[in-house]
Amino acid sequence: MSTPDSSSSRASLLALIGLLSVAAAWGSSFPLTKSLLERMTPLNFLAVRFTIAAMVMLIVFHRAVRALTRRSLQRGAILGLTYGIAQIVQTTGLAHTSASVSGFVTGMYVVLTPICAAVLLRTAIGRRVWIGAVIATIGLALLALSGLHLGFGEAITLASAVIYALHIVGLGHWSTAREALGLAVVQIVATGLVSLIAATIADPGGLTLPHGPFDWIALIYMALISGALAMIVQSWAQAHLAPSRAAIIMSTEPGWAALFSITFLSEPLTWRIAVGGSLMLAAMVIVETGPRHPGDAPHPDQVPKLAA
């Protein structure tokens, strides 16, 4: 007979695997995004991607949305707006800085998430989490950073990292396994609306659609796999993991991006990629294999919930 502790451990393990899959999906989309942005503006790309994801999710999972309470709908909308704004701010920053610096600065949510959790929820963050966050940041720097100048692009990219951290904290404390699917749909719809509005304001002439079968296949993959499916998995997984732990797992995205780039784009395996990836893996192991002491990051159900 399974005990509550063993069931919780299995759920946490599945959540860990799920978030690793999310990070891998995000990483796999990096070379595709890089290619598409040569033919689409960033805001157009976001608007078309998330509009497709929202339409498909509403058609397939509309019953899950109808099952949500009014409060859960409000929370999903807030989370989706937060996520959409983070996407837009990050994309704007990318236009003013290099992709490598953008990746590093955005990845700072691995440190900002436990800080936001501690400030907003008065959550005690364990020593192992802080050690893991620092090691993951060093790994991110090795993977993505070749130079850093703090200008406008870097500053607003750092702002997007703060917003991503707020989204991770909010999702971790508002998501439940029962409502994860409906919550994911509402988030994607809200993200699509924000992206569509921003793209319309930036270019009143209308959206630019992809050209050619490759562009459409790539965009549909990013809309449905690294967009819709990733949000579903993330929403469920964060019902079982504290935000600080989730942030460290998801920060492996640059490592996955490097792996896919090496495998499919024949990019070289450098010492920075090898050492940086190893450090990020070590950070995740440190956080996930240590004993759970009272000072460690608690399960989301053991801390106060954010008020809608």
Side-chain angles (χ1 to χ4, degrees):
M1 174 181 284
S2 63
T3 64
D5 286 342
S6 64
S7 297
S8 177
S9 297
R10 283 196 297 271
S12 294
L13 177 60
L14 288 174
L16 186 153
I17 295 171
L19 286 183
L20 277 176
S21 301
V22 169
W26 289 344
S28 71
S29 68
F30 179 80
L32 299 176
T33 301
K34 187 175 181 180
S35 174
L36 277 174
L37 289 182
E38 294 176 358
R39 295 173 294 281
M40 299 179 68
T41 66
L43 290 178
N44 260 270
F45 164 72
L46 291 176
V48 176
R49 175 190 179 188
F50 285 108
T51 298
I52 292 173
M55 291 174 62
V56 172
M57 292 185 79
L58 277 176
I59 292 171
V60 178
F61 302 119
H62 60 92
R63 291 183 180 178
V65 176
R66 292 173 61 185
L68 293 175
T69 64
R70 183 175 181 179
R71 169 167 287 191
S72 294
L73 285 170
Q74 292 172 342
R75 290 173 172 177
I78 292 171
L79 290 171
L81 288 171
T82 303
Y83 188 76
I85 292 171
Q87 290 271 339
I88 293 169
V89 173
Q90 180 192 13
T91 304
T92 304
L94 185 59
H96 298 277
T97 188
S98 68
S100 60
V101 172
S102 176
F104 169 73
V105 177
T106 303
M108 288 300 294
Y109 66 69
V110 71
V111 173
L112 294 168
T113 296
I115 293 175
C116 289
V119 171
L120 294 176
L121 304 173
R122 298 180 182 178
T123 301
I125 306 300
R127 183 182 303 173
R128 298 180 74 93
V129 173
W130 286 116
I131 292 173
V134 171
I135 292 175
T137 302
I138 296 172
L140 273 170
L142 286 174
L143 275 172
L145 204 59
S146 57
L148 180 62
H149 167 71
L150 188 61
F152 173 76
E154 292 78 18
I156 62 173
T157 303
L158 182 60
S160 77
V162 175
I163 302 171
Y164 277 126
L166 292 173
H167 177 262
I168 293 170
V169 171
L171 183 58
H173 291 280
W174 280 345
S175 181
T176 64
R178 181 174 58 86
E179 294 186 330
L181 179 57
L183 201 63
V185 176
V186 176
Q187 287 180 84
I188 288 293
V189 170
T191 299
L193 287 173
V194 171
S195 302
L196 196 58
I197 292 170
T200 302
I201 293 173
D203 185 8
L207 296 178
T208 301
L209 297 177
H211 299 287
F214 172 81
D215 287 1
W216 274 109
I217 292 172
L219 193 59
I220 290 172
Y221 169 81
M222 285 185 284
L224 301 185
I225 304 302
S226 61
L229 182 59
M231 181 62 78
I232 292 171
V233 174
Q234 183 187 358
S235 297
W236 177 86
Q238 284 204 241
H240 301 280
L241 291 175
S244 52
R245 294 171 63 192
I248 290 175
I249 297 169
M250 289 187 292
S251 71
T252 60
E253 176 191 358
W256 289 107
L259 177 62
F260 284 110
S261 296
I262 291 168
T263 303
F264 297 107
L265 300 181
S266 300
E267 292 188 0
L269 174 61
T270 65
W271 72 268
R272 293 170 67 95
I273 292 175
V275 176
S278 298
L279 285 175
M280 298 193 72
L281 180 62
M284 188 178 64
V285 171
I286 287 172
V287 173
E288 293 302 321
T289 59
R292 298 293 173 209
H293 298 303
D296 285 334
H299 185 278
D301 291 340
Q302 298 173 316
V303 297
K305 303 291 183 181
L306 289 167

